Amino acid sequence: MEIDFSKTDAVIFNMDGTIYDDKDLPLRMILSDPLHAHWIKNDKKVRTQLRNIDFGDSNNFYSTYFNEMAKICHTTKEKYRIWYFTKFLPNMCNIINDYCDSREGLNDIFMQLRRCEIPFLIYSDYAFAKERAHVLGLKELSEDSFICADEIGCQKPADRGYKKIEKMVLYKRPDKHNIFVISNDDKDGEGATKVGFSFIKIVDDAKMENEITWNQFLQKFINALRQQAVKKTH
């Protein structure tokens, strides 16, 4: 797989599972809050039911999500909402801080992207993306480096989120639209394809054409960025 940044106008990174390994995260969250193990397990189940739905805004999404979670968890919508924002999301940040590391070389990738003046964003499913990036020690990020599916009310792979990203990252170069989406999640591949973005899937064992391990990706990515940086100086 070749990565040619002379033809690339922006790079989008999925958050959980891509910029850090989240394989043990669900189990650690359950162990840290066993009284709500049933609630934590059902989060993914309900989100799967709501995938690819554009709710229009965050209020409509959260209203539907909290309602579905309250029913399946046998609690009230308000109790679940309070727990979700005061316990679930902060606990996710704490566990990431204690047990997770960002992918090797990620800060170097961000630095090289800045140097090459290639816009990049982190596209997160959950809110608190900035807080998770902070505990991961990620640098070169600003307030406008994040977009969260929950906060725009548009669940992956619905295309509005990717179209919003296109407007955010290409406002300085409206005539270009070659965007790479880097993710371990097939939802991002489906969403990227809908709007004409390129997709690179991060996996542990690359077998398909668009698949690549993180170490392979890191080497190709940094080399491509450095070549682009050299071109810009000539």
Side-chain angles (χ1 to χ4, degrees), residues 123-140:
Y123 191 10
S124 172
D125 294 81
Y126 294 89
F128 282 38
K130 181 176 66 174
E131 290 81 357
R132 279 177 285 151
H134 175 73
V135 299
L136 284 166
L138 297 178
K139 303 175 182 178
E140 303 291 334

Side-chain angles (χ1 to χ4, degrees), residues 15-16 19-20 25 89-102 107 128-139 141 146:
M15 187 158 207
D16 302 297
I19 65 173
Y20 72 98
L25 184 62
L89 290 177
N91 194 34
M92 183 187 293
C93 293
N94 290 335
I95 291 172
I96 291 171
N97 181 55
D98 291 341
Y99 297 104
C100 300
D101 296 310
S102 64
N107 276 319
F128 282 38
K130 181 176 66 174
E131 290 81 357
R132 279 177 285 151
H134 175 73
V135 299
L136 284 166
L138 297 178
K139 303 175 182 178
L141 298 170
F146 305 93

Side-chain angles (χ1 to χ4, degrees), residues 20 25 53 80-81 94 119 128 142 169 183 193 208 219:
Y20 72 98
L25 184 62
I53 298 177
Y80 184 84
R81 184 192 69 80
N94 290 335
F128 282 38
S142 59
V169 297
S183 178
T193 301
M208 306 295 288
Q219 182 178 2

Side-chain angles (χ1 to χ4, degrees), residues 69-125:
M69 286 298 296
K71 288 191 294 186
I72 201 170
C73 295
H74 307 293
T75 187
T76 68
K77 186 175 179 180
E78 181 63 11
K79 283 183 179 179
Y80 184 84
R81 184 192 69 80
I82 292 172
W83 173 82
Y84 182 80
F85 285 119
T86 63
K87 300 294 183 181
F88 180 80
L89 290 177
N91 194 34
M92 183 187 293
C93 293
N94 290 335
I95 291 172
I96 291 171
N97 181 55
D98 291 341
Y99 297 104
C100 300
D101 296 310
S102 64
R103 297 283 189 181
E104 178 187 356
L106 189 58
N107 276 319
D108 192 20
I109 287 176
F110 290 165
M111 181 180 67
Q112 295 288 348
L113 285 167
R114 293 276 188 212
R115 186 172 296 171
C116 294
E117 298 180 348
I118 297 175
F120 63 94
L121 280 177
I122 294 175
Y123 191 10
S124 172
D125 294 81

Side-chain angles (χ1 to χ4, degrees), residues 29-40:
M29 291 189 68
I30 289 170
L31 292 175
S32 70
D33 187 7
L35 291 177
H36 294 100
H38 182 58
W39 295 15
I40 296 168

